[in-house]
């Protein structure tokens, strides 16, 4: 009995800049019912991978068959639904702030980048709060090249959300001069006098129009210093301040009238 030989048709890598290794780890990919039936009936293999998913075909799934299929059905595609197992996906992902959306990817809309094709997303308004965060459509005619089927590698890249960072420093010493440096050594705006919900006075520091991406793990952090201008000296009080997380987003507002809305991450420091 001759063993079946399976050939790669498509390899789809799904990345996310929020995660420390760049791979969208909290992701499930499931073929749509119609596509799953076609995959089963045509002897294709759908396989999830560490970085996304792959499709394989046998020898009889050839260029002639694809041309016949496309001639009969027109634009024939396989659809794969995307699900995030992380409930905070919409917080740490760069999505519109004023509406719920899902992501629509298609190999009809891609950019060639080195050895891969980057799939460019379209946003579709999500009126029903569906569990799926989006889908990927793979049109089969994209694999036809002259007289043969050519395997393709695709990449999907989700971007982490950029937020304005705000620190509130609560200190018993109201006369001290505090500074907060970002990872590159630049000073945050402040301190400004502020008041906590419980009435405590605080110092507010803000990154202003400088936005930073939310990350699963930060290599560089912010630091809090006490500055003594009389002696031209400074003391590092906290070398590694708390960093923004999906749950630290507390507000959404415009930086100014000309700007679009931005999310604000708020962190509290008690000395």
């Amino acid at each position: 009995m001759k063993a079946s030989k399976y050939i790669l048709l498509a390899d789809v890598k799904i990345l996310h800049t929020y995660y420390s290794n760049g791979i969208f780890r909290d992701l499930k990919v499931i073929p749509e019912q119609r596509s799953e039936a076609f995959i089963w009936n045509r002897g294709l293999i759908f396989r999830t991978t560490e970085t996304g998913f792959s499709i394989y075909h046998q020898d009889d799934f050839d260029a002639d068959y694809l041309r016949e299929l496309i001639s009969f059905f027109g634009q024939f595609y396989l659809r794969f639904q995307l699900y995030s197992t992380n409930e905070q996906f919409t917080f740490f992902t760069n999505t519109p702030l004023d509406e719920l959306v899902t992501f629509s990817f298609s190999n009809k809309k891609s950019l060639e980048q080195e050895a891969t094709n980057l799939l460019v997303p379209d946003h579709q308004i999500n009126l029903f709060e569906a569990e799926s965060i989006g889908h990927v459509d793979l049109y089969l005619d994209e694999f036809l090249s002259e007289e043969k089927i050519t395997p393709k590698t695709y990449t999907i890249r989700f971007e982490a959300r950029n937020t304005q960072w705000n620190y509130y420093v609560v200190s018993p010493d109201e006369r001290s001069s505090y500074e907060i440096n970002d990872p590159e050594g630049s000073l945050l705006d402040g301190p400004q006098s502020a008041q906590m919900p419980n009435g405590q006075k605080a110092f507010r520091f803000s990154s202003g129009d400088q936005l930073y991406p939310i990350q699963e793990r930060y290599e560089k952090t912010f630091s809090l210093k006490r500055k003594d201008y009389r002696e031209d000296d400074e003391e590092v009080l906290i070398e590694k301040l708390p960093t923004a997380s999906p749950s630290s987003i507390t507000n959404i507002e415009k930086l100014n009238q000309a700007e679009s809305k931005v999310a604000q991450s708020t962190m509290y420091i008690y000395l």
Side-chain angles (χ1 to χ4, degrees):
M1 182 176 178
K2 183 180 179 181
S4 298
K5 178 184 178 182
Y6 285 93
I7 306 162
L8 179 68
L9 178 67
D11 181 53
V12 182
K13 293 179 171 59
I14 305 178
L15 311 177
H16 200 308
T17 60
Y18 166 77
Y19 294 91
S20 55
N21 63 357
I23 298 171
F24 194 165
R25 190 174 61 248
D26 302 318
L27 180 73
K28 287 175 63 179
V29 183
I30 300 177
E32 191 183 54
Q33 188 173 6
R34 179 186 67 91
S35 299
E36 185 177 37
F38 178 84
I39 288 171
W40 174 263
N41 291 330
R42 283 304 306 156
L44 303 179
I45 289 181
F46 164 79
R47 179 175 295 166
T48 58
T49 66
E50 218 175 275
T51 57
F53 67 95
S54 297
I55 306 293
Y56 294 86
H57 68 94
Q58 298 185 59
D59 290 333
D60 61 345
F61 190 89
D62 55 16
D64 290 337
Y65 172 75
L66 272 194
R67 278 192 289 268
E68 182 180 339
L69 183 72
I70 295 164
S71 175
F72 185 80
F73 288 104
Q75 295 290 325
F76 190 89
Y77 61 86
L78 300 177
R79 172 166 291 184
F80 303 88
Q81 296 289 348
L82 305 177
Y83 299 87
S84 175
T85 59
N86 191 321
E87 296 179 352
Q88 295 182 313
F89 170 81
T90 55
F91 291 92
F92 62 74
T93 304
N94 184 26
T95 62
L97 291 166
D98 51 359
E99 59 188 11
L100 290 172
V101 301
T102 56
F103 292 82
S104 174
F105 298 94
S106 165
N107 61 347
K108 288 288 187 183
K109 189 175 181 181
S110 66
L111 298 173
E112 290 188 20
Q113 289 191 350
E114 298 178 354
T116 188
N117 295 277
L118 180 66
L119 300 189
V120 181
D122 284 324
H123 291 151
Q124 298 181 343
I125 296 177
N126 177 12
L127 297 176
F128 305 103
E129 299 188 29
E131 294 181 1
S132 169
I133 63 171
H135 61 262
V136 183
D137 292 338
L138 298 182
Y139 286 83
L140 296 186
D141 62 332
E142 289 294 313
F143 300 99
L144 281 174
S145 177
E146 297 178 352
E147 299 300 319
K148 61 180 181 178
I149 292 179
T150 301
K152 297 286 184 71
T153 299
Y154 298 106
T155 299
I156 290 171
R157 184 178 295 116
F158 290 92
E159 300 291 336
R161 185 182 298 285
N162 290 316
T163 68
Q164 180 191 75
W165 287 33
N166 297 296
Y167 284 98
Y168 287 82
V169 179
V170 180
S171 169
D173 186 355
E174 298 180 4
R175 295 172 298 176
S176 291
S177 298
Y178 297 107
E179 292 181 349
I180 292 182
N181 295 87
D182 73 5
E184 306 305 321
S186 299
L187 290 173
L188 295 192
D189 295 339
Q192 295 177 334
S193 297
Q195 193 172 41
M196 304 290 286
N198 62 2
Q200 280 185 293
K201 293 182 179 180
F203 299 105
R204 180 180 183 269
F205 295 84
S206 175
S207 67
D209 58 4
Q210 176 63 56
L211 307 181
Y212 300 95
I214 295 180
Q215 300 287 293
E216 180 184 36
R217 186 177 297 111
Y218 294 88
E219 294 183 4
K220 298 180 180 179
T221 56
F222 292 66
S223 59
L224 173 65
K225 300 176 181 179
R226 179 189 286 122
K227 189 78 174 179
D228 189 335
Y229 293 100
R230 292 171 300 178
E231 300 182 8
D232 193 24
D233 191 22
E234 64 181 21
E235 176 189 3
V236 177
L237 299 178
I238 303 177
E239 186 175 355
K240 295 182 179 181
L241 288 174
T243 50
S245 65
S247 60
S248 71
I249 296 177
T250 56
N251 197 21
I252 296 171
E253 68 174 31
K254 286 189 175 183
L255 295 178
N256 54 60
Q257 292 301 319
E259 297 284 346
S260 57
K261 294 179 180 178
V262 299
Q264 296 179 319
S265 293
T266 302
M267 286 73 69
Y268 299 97
I269 311 298
Y270 293 86
L271 299 178

